[in-house]
Amino acid sequence: MHFTDFDTETFLRDYWQKKPLLIRNPWAQWVNPLEPDELAGLACEDDVEARLVSHAEGALTAEDGPIPAERFGELSPDKWTLLVQAVDHFVPDVAALIEPFRFVPNWRIDDVMVSVAADGGGVGAHFDHYDVFLIQGLGRRRWQIGAMCDDSTPLLPHDQLRLIAGFEPLEEWVLEPGDILYVPPGIAHNGVAVGDNCMTYSVGFRAPSRAELIGDFCDDLLDAMSDDDRYGDPGLPQQDNPGEITGAALDGLHAMLLESLSDRAAFARWFGRYNSTPKYPEIDWRPEVPVSAAEIVSALASKVPLLRNPASRFSFIRQDGGAVLLFADGECFECRGETAELAELLCAQTAVLVVDKFIRSAPAVELITSLYNQGSLAFEADD
Ligand code: SIN
Ligand code: CO
């Protein structure tokens, strides 16, 4: 699936993180990648995150998955919607929907949530903290767009849903199959199914909060800190008032903090690992018995492409001298020369046919073996 009618440069310059954009069917040929029944089947499974939102007596209620199969038989004919998270991790044709959006780097991509709704179904007016492309897959949905919101925007009292109080639409459109609505973070939006079998694919992005960056980086720094590493004041000057915490003392204390936080190399390693940590570790591609490098070589020699686990986030950070740090599933691999080239290839493509020069390189094979054994990669022929 690819776009024939979409200008990435204009989009990034004028819309990304700035304002909503309705993109009328930009695909070469739009094909809905999943049937409503298949989505309902996924929602019944234990390791899949799902939610059923329905209107009951004028109010929205949410039921968290797994949804018992018999529940679908009891639903009213209208005003419900079923939402399933990270469907791209399970369905390759849904994962393929991310490909046209790779103009945004891997580390910013979250996953694809899929919803199916009966006539009048929707999750109510809300805002998200992330960018999203809402792709209309099947059926029709009316989308309304409202004002920019933030954490001070009044919400309706609701235990499970963050619904905006007094939502006022500024614009609205009815989306047809293949149409896409881009919604930047914070913009209020409300989607209501027009007719049954309304399927929406949300290609969602992620951006760490400052609180998350500081909290999680500090936790990582703390793990490596010793109790001996302490403030000291040899040469303590006499002070007039023993009650004062002097500017000089404060400078020394503050410097201890900044020294640790400003270690950019440590931050880079931590961030790569942190960002690549899987959100759903249940999607486990690890082989039952770890394979050896020799087994990897013979599989590579038979020209079977390597596939990235769609739940694994691959990214790299360049180092001085052409080396790269490769990150996948919370692990960091230092790669040089040919192996660095291979690491970049693995980050650029979801499937890689490994050429002979890598098969002849022991460090490159070692990297593939490690990634295979930790479940980040598999061969296309593997089950
Ligand atoms: C939906 O698919 O109904 C909801 C998507 C969203 O608003 O984020
Ligand atoms: Co939303």
Side-chain angles (χ1 to χ4, degrees), residues 39-368:
L39 189 70
L42 272 175
C44 304
E45 288 181 22
D46 275 342
D47 53 2
V48 177
E49 196 183 328
R51 205 165 217 212
L52 183 62
V53 177
S54 45
H55 287 253
E57 288 143 26
L60 285 175
T61 55
E63 295 160 59
D64 286 329
I67 311 291
E70 54 279 12
R71 184 73 187 90
F72 293 107
E74 304 160 1
L75 289 170
S76 69
D78 63 1
K79 293 191 172 173
W80 58 262
T81 180
L82 171 72
L83 305 111
V84 182
Q85 301 292 330
V87 177
D88 55 309
H89 296 183
F90 305 97
V91 184
D93 285 348
V94 172
L97 289 182
I98 300 175
E99 294 316 301
F101 300 100
R102 293 274 180 205
F103 54 85
V104 183
N106 295 354
W107 75 269
R108 290 279 273 116
I109 296 175
D110 193 8
D111 51 33
V112 185
M113 180 184 79
V114 186
S115 69
V116 63
D119 188 31
V123 297
H126 65 281
F127 72 95
D128 302 303
H129 284 113
Y130 309 105
D131 310 81
V132 64
F133 287 97
L134 300 158
I135 307 171
Q136 189 62 28
L138 190 68
R140 303 196 303 155
R141 183 183 286 273
R142 173 171 291 107
W143 278 107
Q144 298 177 316
I145 292 289
M148 178 66 85
C149 304
D150 59 28
D151 287 338
S152 65
T153 301
L155 300 181
L156 292 173
H158 200 292
D159 291 344
Q160 296 160 300
L161 299 166
R162 289 173 56 254
L163 302 171
I164 298 170
F167 169 70
E168 285 190 23
L170 299 173
E171 265 185 292
E172 68 170 55
W173 306 274
V174 174
L175 271 69
E176 307 273 346
D179 291 347
I180 304 173
L181 178 63
Y182 164 70
V183 183
I187 293 283
H189 53 287
N190 184 30
V192 179
V194 179
D196 292 337
N197 283 335
C198 164
M199 290 187 81
T200 301
Y201 297 79
S202 305
V203 177
F205 295 82
R206 58 213 295 261
S209 67
R210 191 189 298 259
E212 204 183 315
L213 281 180
I214 295 177
D216 290 63
F217 181 42
C218 284
D219 282 345
D220 187 69
L221 288 175
L222 289 177
D223 284 344
M225 275 178 195
S226 144
D227 237 17
D228 302 331
D229 182 5
R230 215 158 261 279
Y231 176 76
D233 47 10
L236 177 72
Q238 285 212 37
Q239 56 188 67
D240 297 339
N241 185 333
E244 183 183 3
I245 302 170
T246 62
L250 215 47
D251 284 348
L253 294 161
H254 196 215
M256 288 176 75
L257 190 91
L258 294 187
E259 257 165 43
S260 295
L261 288 182
S262 66
D263 184 341
R264 198 178 177 287
F267 177 75
R269 279 176 184 266
W270 166 77
F271 183 72
R273 283 191 291 110
Y274 172 74
N275 187 73
S276 73
T277 301
K279 187 158 123 192
Y280 299 102
E282 308 80 37
I283 304 167
D284 191 349
W285 275 22
R286 279 176 303 173
E288 267 167 42
V289 182
V291 300
S292 66
E295 286 169 284
I296 291 288
V297 168
S298 68
L300 292 172
S302 61
K303 299 285 169 229
V304 189
L306 273 175
L307 294 184
R308 260 170 25 195
N309 181 338
S312 302
R313 298 192 166 100
F314 276 72
S315 48
F316 71 88
I317 293 177
R318 284 188 207 290
Q319 301 290 94
D320 290 340
V324 305
L325 300 177
L326 170 71
F327 302 97
D329 292 303
E331 297 296 328
C332 172
F333 302 89
E334 285 199 49
C335 308
R336 290 169 201 286
E338 234 141 53
T339 316
E341 210 184 303
L342 173 66
E344 288 188 39
L345 209 58
L346 290 169
C347 289
Q349 299 173 5
T350 52
V352 175
L353 189 62
V354 178
V355 295
D356 288 347
K357 72 169 175 185
F358 297 126
I359 307 178
R360 284 193 300 266
S361 152
V365 170
E366 197 188 311
L367 174 67
I368 295 172

Side-chain angles (χ1 to χ4, degrees), residues 7-26:
D7 180 16
T8 309
E9 214 176 293
T10 310
F11 174 77
L12 287 176
R13 188 191 60 216
D14 298 340
Y15 297 95
W16 175 252
Q17 298 244 301
K18 297 183 187 80
K19 53 186 183 193
L21 177 67
L22 173 69
I23 309 156
R24 288 285 183 198
N25 204 338

